[in-house]
Amino acid sequence: MKFDLVFEGGGAKGMIFVGALQEFEARGNTHGRLLGTSAGAITATLLAAGYGSQEMLEALAEKQDGKSVFTSFMGTPAPFTKEEILDSDILTLLKSIDIPLIPEAIEEKLDDKLIGWLAKQPRSSHLVSFVERGGWYSADNFIRWLQTKLDSGKYKRKPRQFSGITLEQFYAATRKDLSLVVSDTTGESMLVVNHRTAPECPLVWAVRMSMSIPLLWQEVVWQKEWGLYLGQDITGHTIVDGGLLSNFPIELFLSSLENVTALMGPKGDAPVMGLLIDETLPVPGAEQPAAQKPSSGIGELQTVRRISNLVNTLLSAHDKMVMDAFEKLVVHLPAQGYGTTEFDMSDERRELLVAAGQKTMSKYLDQRAMVSFAVVDEAEEDRAAETANKIAARILGRTINQKLTPA
């Protein structure tokens, strides 16, 4: 059976999708439209690029210098340019502080030396990146990894060559309807990027924007050469993880609002399935990771922890509302005790997570097979559609009122 698939965001916990897809494929199922946020955007993109669960499983096991390749995704910031340092908020702050008994000329030189030193030191450069680039870590290694994946192996017996193309070109090459959710913090709105809404946006950067967890990874700034979004010029807008506004946007595939279907494409006959990472459900056999001494990372900052907790609360409230409304369509994948940034998890913990995904999908498909899709409760279907319309209209806000450019 063909399903339209929705993948939730969840960082390293998204590895569980591979196990779920193993069982999904083993039952002979295929996918239609694909929608993902953050880690779900990565999974959806690889699926659209022709990756099967076995190739994804091999990718999970990749090592670099004896460690999981995913640990490199939380990278050291690239060197700061002279212009960045001179225009930095930190330097502005330093210059606003008057140190008694020190001549102004000497104080200015000290300020310049201090910001230059902070920007070059391995540890303090993260702090400079946090303030100036909007995130503690660089995601440059992730970009390189994704580019490699999109150019590795074969797609329909031909070499994959997807790393340097736009969303429009990717759709033309694959005919896969892929949509990724991102958050425009400048425009204060949620964006759904695909070949209809942002045809000139590079595929790799669409994924990079969607996985950019706020404050953790550096923000992405929309470039002029990426073209328009819904006919609007958003050059210079700051874009971050779509999960900031909707971590599990299953309602976008269910809504019948004309402006929503214009974003997402026409609704077909394929049923919708949402793969949700449920942190309340334990992973069989997995123990809580041993407590580690905190390193000098983003998690030590009280402000970051407070903001992170607030965002998690907002996302949980939205996800709960969606789950309550569309419970029958949601696969609850267990991930209790696993961390969003646990990219260095042991092979054993990763294998247990993948196995849990496979087992959970098996149980879900067995239960779903017992439901006759030929028998439809029209009243229930109408209520679900109405709920989807309300949720979609709320999370998209003014975006759905903007005019689409011709596809």
Side-chain angles (χ1 to χ4, degrees), residues 139-354:
D140 293 345
N141 289 333
F142 167 76
I143 288 285
R144 286 188 281 270
W145 175 85
L146 182 60
Q147 289 172 330
T148 298
K149 291 302 167 193
L150 292 175
D151 286 340
S152 298
K154 293 186 176 182
Y155 180 81
K156 294 185 177 179
R157 300 182 180 180
K158 295 182 180 180
R160 281 195 189 98
Q161 294 181 330
F162 299 144
S163 71
I165 65 177
T166 65
L167 291 171
E168 183 176 50
Q169 292 168 334
F170 183 66
Y171 177 73
T174 64
R175 308 310 292 181
K176 297 296 184 181
D177 198 329
L178 171 70
S179 296
L180 308 179
V181 177
V182 305
S183 299
D184 179 354
T185 61
T186 303
E188 300 179 347
S189 60
M190 189 183 93
L191 311 182
V192 181
V193 292
N194 55 40
H195 66 282
R196 287 175 291 271
T197 63
E200 296 178 58
C201 178
L203 171 64
V204 167
W205 281 101
V207 181
R208 168 66 179 88
M209 288 186 284
S210 187
M211 60 76 70
S212 187
I213 298 175
L215 308 180
L216 186 68
W217 278 295
Q218 294 169 353
E219 301 165 335
V220 177
V221 177
W222 191 281
Q223 302 298 304
K224 186 174 183 61
E225 56 267 28
W226 296 355
L228 307 177
Y229 177 80
L230 291 179
Q232 305 295 315
D233 185 359
I234 59 172
T235 299
H237 283 213
T238 297
I239 313 294
V240 298
D241 190 338
L244 183 64
L245 295 176
S246 180
N247 212 32
F248 189 55
I250 192 172
E251 62 277 358
L252 297 181
F253 273 168
L254 299 169
S255 173
S256 58
L257 289 176
E258 182 178 350
N259 285 336
V260 175
T261 57
L263 291 176
M264 305 306 302
K267 295 177 66 175
D269 296 329
V272 175
M273 180 188 298
L275 283 76
L276 181 135
I277 298 171
D278 194 331
E279 296 178 347
T280 68
L281 299 177
V283 175
E287 298 179 356
Q288 293 285 346
Q292 297 180 350
K293 183 179 179 180
S295 60
S296 57
I298 190 171
E300 291 185 55
L301 302 178
Q302 287 283 357
T303 300
V304 175
R305 285 205 292 267
R306 289 169 183 151
I307 294 174
S308 178
N309 289 339
L310 177 60
V311 170
N312 287 337
T313 300
L314 291 172
L315 292 179
S316 296
H318 172 267
D319 287 350
K320 186 178 186 307
M321 177 174 60
V322 171
M323 285 186 288
D324 290 344
F326 312 114
E327 180 63 30
K328 294 179 181 179
L329 308 180
V330 178
V331 187
H332 290 259
L333 300 171
Q336 188 181 84
Y338 282 77
T340 300
T341 59
E342 194 184 342
F343 296 110
D344 59 346
M345 72 176 70
S346 66
D347 291 346
E348 181 183 5
R349 278 178 62 78
R350 184 190 70 245
E351 290 166 3
L352 288 170
L353 187 64
V354 171

Side-chain angles (χ1 to χ4, degrees), residues 86-108:
L86 291 176
D87 293 337
S88 68
D89 290 335
I90 294 177
L91 182 58
T92 300
L93 175 63
L94 291 173
K95 289 185 178 298
S96 70
I97 300 173
D98 181 38
I99 303 177
L101 305 179
I102 296 181
E104 184 176 343
I106 295 178
E107 191 174 338
E108 286 187 2

